[in-house]
Amino acid sequence: MSHTTTPADGTAAGLEAAAEVPRGRVITASLVGTSIEFYDFYVYATAAVSVFPLIFFPGDDQTTALLASFAVFGTAFVARPIGSVLFGHFGDILGRKVTLIGSLLTMGIATFLIGLLPTAFQIGLWAPAMLVVLRFCQGLGLGGEWSGAALLATEYAAEGKRARAAMWPQLGAPIGFLLANGLFLALVIGFGHDSTNPDHDGAFLNWVWRVPFLLSIVMVAVGLYVRVKLEETPVFQRAIANDTRVKAPLGEVFKRNWWELILGTFIMYATYVLFYLMTTWILSYAIGKTENGMLGVPYAEFLVLQLIGILFFAAFVPASGWLADRFGRKPTLLTVSALMVLFGLSFGLWLSAERMGTGAGLNVPLMVAFLAVGMALMGLTFGPMSAVLPELFPTNTRYTGSGIAYNVSSILGAALTPFLAAWLVKEYGVTYVGYYLAAASVITMIALALAPETRHTDLDGVTSARERRAASV
């Protein structure tokens, strides 16, 4: 279609144009964008473990350098709630489409510039300082990306199929991971990089690590092309037509939906903890030196195992959408969270060096089984979130509210997780990392128990907990 609906177009013609947008275009726009965003994020996460401690935080203490790299990694999670407020404001006032384009550009340009940074060996402390700034910008972009893509999917979805429609942007996470880490794996193998005995003068640490960051600009161009051709969502068009938008979405959501913000934050909490344990932390634990209590597996060998595990993540995201539509959001997520508690309590049985083996003696089938179970649970808990969080908030603050809940949760559940897990291994052993996951899952179960079931919620009629209580009296 040649017609592009503008934020000011709330007429019947605009609504009709939005309704006629092919379903495939909506799926592509939500999936491609989040795949690119998560690719950018994972490229950094992988480099934060295997590259940045060596070139931005050089020193004799490997653990200290890794913790410093993880601290910068966490900077993006501080930026993400700010991004959700910034992009959420424009998304609730101007529309989902234009805001999604802005978030994509912010994330993509920051990632590209990381690939151009000089190292600490070249300009000293200025190098990690600039890395922090660009990492912050990555967080701003992702803070606005997820909620916009989730709204794009849910606000176009057919009745009774919102969770299945909303799982498409969630698939961007495993796809982005596969792209980012698959490319890193190819480069590591192609240039003979050995993480257990890195060559500081070799090609990989000198320039090859930059390639995944620089290539992101090509993917951004593809994402822009898809999103520019998109129409505004029918639900937002109706908000325009009915004149229900507000001038200050942030103030409105804190005034009317503060309870939903709290619930959404903690509903998402355990999902974040699980994901960053199964991606960033497990990579550092697997490739870390055995004298530091880790497994000493070569980076390239373990990355192959991680890529196998991610396939289980991708496979169970669609399953989660079907389950959430069939049985409801709460029963599905409560069951998965209970399984996550059990999984966390079993960490010591899976991952102890005595049982798992180290270096060339790694028990590969056991590690693959651990990754498969963890990633399957990740798919089941992550898949419904792009329906659950938007369903908690009314249209005029939905972008802001769902984004804040999702990204504040990222501070609690993701920013601290790799750092805290690395510290727990050093001080108490790997079993306590599992206890951390189990505790997080219990917290999420409490939030789910207190939340309403939103499977049959009319997105045009969402109110607040206070208003629902008043209406029931």
Side-chain angles (χ1 to χ4, degrees):
M1 295 176 62
S2 60
H3 172 73
T4 301
T5 305
T6 66
D9 185 2
T11 64
L15 291 169
E16 183 180 351
E20 291 175 356
V21 172
R23 180 67 188 151
R25 185 183 299 177
V26 176
I27 291 173
T28 302
S30 60
L31 177 60
V32 169
T34 52
S35 296
I36 293 168
E37 297 280 5
F38 280 107
Y39 166 87
D40 288 355
F41 219 66
Y42 296 148
V43 161
Y44 185 97
T46 301
V49 172
S50 61
V51 176
F52 291 165
L54 302 174
I55 62 174
F56 286 105
F57 309 99
D60 295 330
D61 189 337
Q62 184 188 35
T63 300
T64 300
L66 179 63
L67 291 176
S69 184
F70 277 158
V72 177
F73 175 77
T75 302
F77 295 99
V78 177
R80 283 171 64 165
I82 300 173
S84 67
V85 171
L86 175 65
F87 289 105
H89 176 83
F90 293 111
D92 284 326
I93 292 178
L94 299 180
R96 307 343 186 180
K97 172 184 171 178
V98 66
T99 308
L100 278 167
I101 291 173
S103 67
L104 182 65
L105 284 173
T106 301
M107 183 79 174
I109 292 172
T111 304
F112 178 77
L113 291 177
I114 289 175
L116 300 177
L117 282 180
T119 69
F121 297 106
Q122 295 168 312
I123 60 170
L125 292 176
W126 284 106
M130 288 190 289
L131 184 64
V132 168
V133 171
L134 292 176
R135 180 62 175 164
F136 188 87
C137 291
Q138 277 193 316
L140 284 179
L142 191 57
E145 166 63 28
W146 178 85
S147 50
L151 267 57
L152 186 66
T154 57
E155 291 184 348
Y156 266 111
E159 184 178 354
K161 297 181 179 180
R162 271 204 304 266
R164 277 170 281 186
M167 70 88 185
W168 288 106
Q170 304 302 79
L171 271 178
I175 290 172
F177 188 98
L178 287 168
L179 290 173
N181 288 282
L183 179 55
F184 255 108
L185 176 62
L187 293 173
V188 164
I189 294 174
F191 287 87
H193 175 65
D194 182 2
S195 63
T196 60
N197 186 27
D199 179 5
H200 290 269
D201 297 319
F204 189 86
L205 291 180
N206 274 292
W207 65 270
V208 173
W209 68 268
R210 301 178 185 274
V211 172
F213 291 91
L214 299 176
L215 284 179
S216 68
I217 203 68
V218 178
M219 300 179 67
V220 168
V222 175
L224 283 175
Y225 174 79
V226 173
R227 286 186 171 176
V228 164
K229 289 183 169 291
L230 196 66
E231 306 289 349
E232 191 53 80
T233 72
V235 173
F236 189 77
Q237 288 285 357
R238 288 193 289 271
I240 297 172
N242 297 328
D243 195 26
T244 58
R245 289 178 295 173
V246 294
K247 293 182 178 179
L250 178 63
E252 185 74 7
V253 79
F254 273 102
K255 178 182 178 180
R256 296 185 60 205
N257 296 100
W258 59 269
W259 178 239
E260 286 80 8
L261 286 174
I262 294 172
L263 289 178
T265 296
F266 288 101
I267 286 171
M268 188 70 201
Y269 174 57
T271 301
Y272 268 120
V273 172
L274 175 63
F275 184 67
Y276 283 91
L277 287 179
M278 297 305 302
T279 54
T280 305
W281 169 75
I282 191 63
L283 177 62
S284 68
Y285 177 70
I287 71 174
K289 293 183 178 180
T290 54
E291 54 263 36
N292 293 328
M294 303 185 199
L295 300 182
V297 181
Y299 171 72
E301 293 181 18
F302 186 74
L303 191 52
V304 172
L305 305 183
Q306 265 199 312
L307 291 173
I308 294 172
I310 286 293
L311 296 177
F312 288 85
F313 181 10
F316 279 86
V317 167
S320 72
W322 182 85
L323 289 169
D325 277 337
R326 175 67 177 82
F327 299 105
R329 285 46 164 155
K330 286 181 64 171
T332 299
L333 290 173
L334 281 168
T335 301
V336 176
S337 298
L339 293 174
M340 288 164 57
V341 172
L342 297 177
F343 182 59
L345 295 176
S346 70
F347 262 41
L349 299 176
W350 293 96
L351 293 176
S352 66
E354 296 77 19
R355 184 172 179 81
M356 184 61 74
T358 59
L362 180 74
N363 187 332
V364 173
L366 184 63
M367 178 58 79
V368 170
F370 171 79
L371 294 173
V373 171
M375 285 300 182
L377 289 172
M378 182 61 207
L380 290 171
T381 184
F382 186 62
M385 290 300 173
S386 53
V388 172
L389 299 188
E391 287 169 349
L392 292 173
F393 300 94
T395 301
N396 57 8
T397 58
R398 184 169 294 133
Y399 204 129
T400 301
S402 61
I404 290 174
Y406 182 84
N407 290 297
V408 170
S409 185
S410 75
I411 295 179
L412 302 175
L416 298 177
T417 290
F419 184 94
L420 181 58
W423 178 80
L424 285 170
V425 170
K426 182 179 180 181
E427 297 296 327
Y428 301 104
V430 72
T431 299
Y432 280 79
V433 178
Y435 294 162
Y436 172 42
L437 172 61
S441 301
V442 170
I443 292 171
T444 283
M445 292 178 73
I446 294 171
L448 285 165
L450 295 173
E453 174 57 60
T454 57
R455 176 172 41 154
H456 298 300
T457 295
D458 176 6
L459 291 182
D460 291 315
V462 178
T463 55
S464 67
R466 181 178 61 185
E467 290 165 322
R468 288 194 299 273
R469 286 194 298 269
S472 64
V473 175

